[in-house]
């Protein structure tokens, strides 16, 4: 007669049952763990580079989040992407500061809690109360980083002294060797500065606007091409372009670190600041996670990451961030003049009134500027 | 006069025809109709809104830079077509009349290979060759010439167009000439026709259709190409595809870009139909 035994969970507990149950429990632990802590995906809308591993990988690993970046090129493109997507598509929006007002006016972003961010630690009071970032006493966007645009040049054909004025673009030896970053706003802004419009570079009456167009047309014979980011990068790197209008250290900085003989400087007529800021997309269901990330990027560690960003460098906007950069990467801090007492310290340049925040035209429409830009390209 | 027999509807034949008809309706006719409709839409707050306004047409048609781009694009595409046809001819002639069948098959296979790789990658590789510190200028430097500026010029754009079109034009010319009845060529030679006269009076007339088709393809591809004029021509002057990009970049003016695209399509249709009419036109006296 065969001896039968009761089996199953309801049967008499035996050592074998205990081992089976224990083994099953152990083997299923990874799945339980994953279910408990599923990775949170954060949809980011940003310029290229902000969602890349050199910036976010450490944060992702430490906080069990995953950034899903959607990159754009230009404020218009950003606004269009948001306009054409359902509310809540983007949790985190990195925007050029001059477009924050439009984001807010269109209802694409939610207000931030000002006390969450180190507004009392900003390197300049303008950064704390940045134009367009506040509305009705509420903070809508938190400034992350900035960069300055001026004369970018090859040191072999333009001297540091010559680069102290936009007039170097007209140097006869540079005929066919001056490139344009293909966006009307910074280029025409620089021509406006060259015409002596200073702080009112964006606020041009008809006479001044005509003069800016005339000055720009006068540069046409020097121009060797109109380029996107990759083309600008290549043009400077392979020496096809010896000077570039419309850019700054955000491109030459990458090449300089790579050993290319290029540099950017702020000429005596003044330079333009691009400013990048974070906002939370309206309808986002991940406000807590996004807030935490913005706090991280404004922390000393995050500021170092953004200053060193591989795609294009920028300068820190908090005092603690700058101190951390000087401690962690003094070479980069020195290269980008982010040290007190240096001649081209970004903050000193702002204090001296040589830097003007990038804006949109005040008396003309963007379309007028773009129309002229197309005419200029065809001239 | 004999009457054509009335065609009977065939379900079997229709079953085979239907997929291509549906495909064309869904992926060609539909989008074109939508693009035409879109050219009358308006953009408000970066969002397209349905409308029936002529403002986009009047705006683009009244802009000098649009016409500058238009004529420049026509001109550079025409120059590209002439260059490709001339450059391709010796190679195609050799393959059609001098090479063995096996060599010709291998050559056609090798001409197809460039299409296996991305056109953008092939275009970028020209940076290494054409830049002032590139391969060509380095070689010219050994004999005391240069450096010459080749990138960001019309020459650069043409090099890009050749990268795109030349293999195709060689293939089309080769296949066309390889199908010519060789005895006609030999007869002409036996009757004392000189080599150049044989080409001009025998080979080219017999290859007319294939050559015109090759030229049309070359013109169409060059006319619509964005990559070569943007990356190798440095956007100066901008061609119509670059103008489309500029128009969409600034203010998201897709309706105005649609206007440019419709004009481009209209131009290409006109040239293609004129070319085909020319290709199949019967000579006077021919039955």
């Amino acid at each position: 007669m065969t001896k039968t035994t009761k089996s199953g969970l309801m049967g008499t507990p035996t050592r074998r049952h205990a081992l089976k149950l224990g083994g099953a429990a152990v083997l299923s632990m990874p799945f339980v763990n994953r279910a408990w802590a599923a990775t949170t995906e954060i949809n980011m809308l940003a310029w290229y580079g902000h969602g890349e591993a050199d910036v976010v990988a450490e944060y992702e690993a430490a906080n069990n989040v995953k950034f899903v970046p959607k990159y754009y090129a230009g404020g218009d493109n950003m606004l269009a992407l948001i306009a054409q997507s359902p509310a809540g598509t983007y949790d985190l929006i990195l925007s050029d500061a001059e477009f924050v007002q439009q984001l807010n006016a269109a209802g694409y972003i939610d207000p931030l809690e000002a006390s969450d961010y180190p507004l009392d630690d900003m390197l300049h009071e303008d950064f704390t109360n940045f134009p367009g970032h506040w509305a009705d006493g509420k903070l809508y966007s938190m400034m992350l980083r900035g960069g300055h645009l001026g004369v970018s040049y090859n040191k072999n054909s333009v001297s540091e002294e010559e680069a102290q004025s936009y007039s170097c673009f007209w140097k006869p030896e540079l005929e066919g060797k001056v490139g344009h970053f293909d966006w009307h706003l910074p280029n025409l802004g620089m021509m406006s500065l060259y015409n002596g419009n200073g702080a009112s570079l964006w606020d041009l009456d008809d006479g001044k606007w005509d003069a800016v167009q005339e000055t720009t047309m006068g540069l046409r014979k020097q121009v060797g091409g109109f380029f996107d980011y990759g083309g600008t990068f290549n043009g400077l790197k392979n020496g096809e372009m010896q000077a570039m209008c419309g850019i700054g250290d955000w491109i030459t900085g990458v090449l300089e670190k790579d050993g290319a003989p290029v540099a950017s400087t702020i000429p005596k007529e003044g330079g333009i600041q691009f400013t990048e800021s974070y906002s939370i997309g309206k309808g986002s269901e991940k406000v807590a996670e996004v807030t935490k990330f913005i706090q991280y990027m404004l922390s000393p560690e995050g500021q170092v990451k953004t200053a060193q960003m591989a795609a294009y460098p920028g300068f820190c906007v908090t005092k603690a961030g700058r101190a951390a950069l000087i401690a962690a990467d003094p070479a980069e801090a020195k290269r980008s003049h982010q040290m007190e007492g240096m001649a081209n310290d970004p903050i000193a340049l702002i204090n001296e009134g040589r830097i003007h925040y990038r804006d949109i035209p005040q008396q003309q429409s963007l379309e007028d500027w773009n129309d002229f830009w197309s005419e200029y390209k065809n001239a | 006069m004999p009457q054509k027999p009335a065609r009977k509807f065939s379900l079997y034949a229709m079953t085979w025809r239907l997929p291509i008809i549906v495909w064309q309706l869904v992926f060609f006719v539909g989008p074109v109709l939508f693009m035409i409709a879109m050219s009358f839409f308006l953009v408000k707050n970066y969002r397209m809104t349905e409308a029936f306004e002529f403002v986009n047409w009047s705006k683009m048609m009244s802009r000098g830079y649009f016409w500058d781009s238009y004529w420049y694009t026509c001109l550079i595409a025409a120059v590209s077509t002439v260059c490709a046809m001339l450059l391709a001819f010796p190679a195609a002639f050799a393959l059609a009349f001098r090479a063995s069948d096996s060599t010709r098959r291998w050559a056609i296979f090798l001409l197809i290979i460039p299409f296996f790789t991305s056109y953008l990658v092939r275009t970028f590789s020209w940076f290494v060759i054409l830049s002032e510190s590139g391969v060509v200028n380095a070689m010219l430097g050994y004999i005391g010439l240069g450096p010459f500026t080749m990138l960001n010029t019309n020459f650069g754009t043409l090099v890009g167009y050749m990268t795109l079109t030349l293999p195709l034009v060689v293939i089309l010319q080769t296949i066309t000439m390889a199908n010519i009845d060789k005895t006609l060529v030999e007869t002409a030679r036996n009757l004392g026709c000189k080599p150049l006269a044989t080409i001009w009076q025998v080979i080219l007339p017999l290859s007319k259709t294939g050559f015109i088709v090759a030229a049309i393809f070359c013109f169409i591809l060059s006319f619509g190409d964005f990559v070569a004029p943007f990356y190798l021509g440095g956007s100066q002057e901008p061609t119509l595809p670059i103008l489309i990009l500029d128009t969409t970049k600034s203010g998201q003016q897709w309706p105005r870009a649609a206007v440019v695209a419709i004009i481009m399509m209209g131009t290409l249709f006109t040239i293609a139909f004129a070319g085909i009419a020319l290709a199949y036109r019967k000579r006077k006296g021919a039955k």
Side-chain angles (χ1 to χ4, degrees), chain B residues 148-209:
Chain B
F148 295 104
T149 302
M150 288 177 275
L151 287 176
N152 309 312
T153 61
N154 286 331
F155 175 76
T157 302
L158 281 173
V159 168
Y161 285 158
M162 292 305 106
T163 308
L164 178 67
T165 61
L166 196 56
L168 181 69
V169 174
V170 174
I171 291 169
L172 289 172
Q173 285 190 0
T174 304
I175 292 170
T176 303
M177 287 193 283
N179 284 313
I180 290 176
D181 184 352
K182 303 281 188 300
T183 55
L184 293 172
V185 179
E186 284 160 12
T187 306
R189 297 287 288 126
N190 289 339
L191 291 172
C193 198
K194 290 183 175 165
L196 278 178
T198 309
I199 290 172
W200 191 250
Q201 290 177 355
V202 180
I203 294 173
L204 286 183
L206 289 172
S207 312
K208 189 179 80 173
T209 306

Side-chain angles (χ1 to χ4, degrees), chain A residues 21-38:
Chain A
L21 284 169
V26 167
L27 288 172
S28 63
M29 278 310 282
F31 301 101
V32 173
N33 188 36
R34 277 182 212 171
W36 277 342

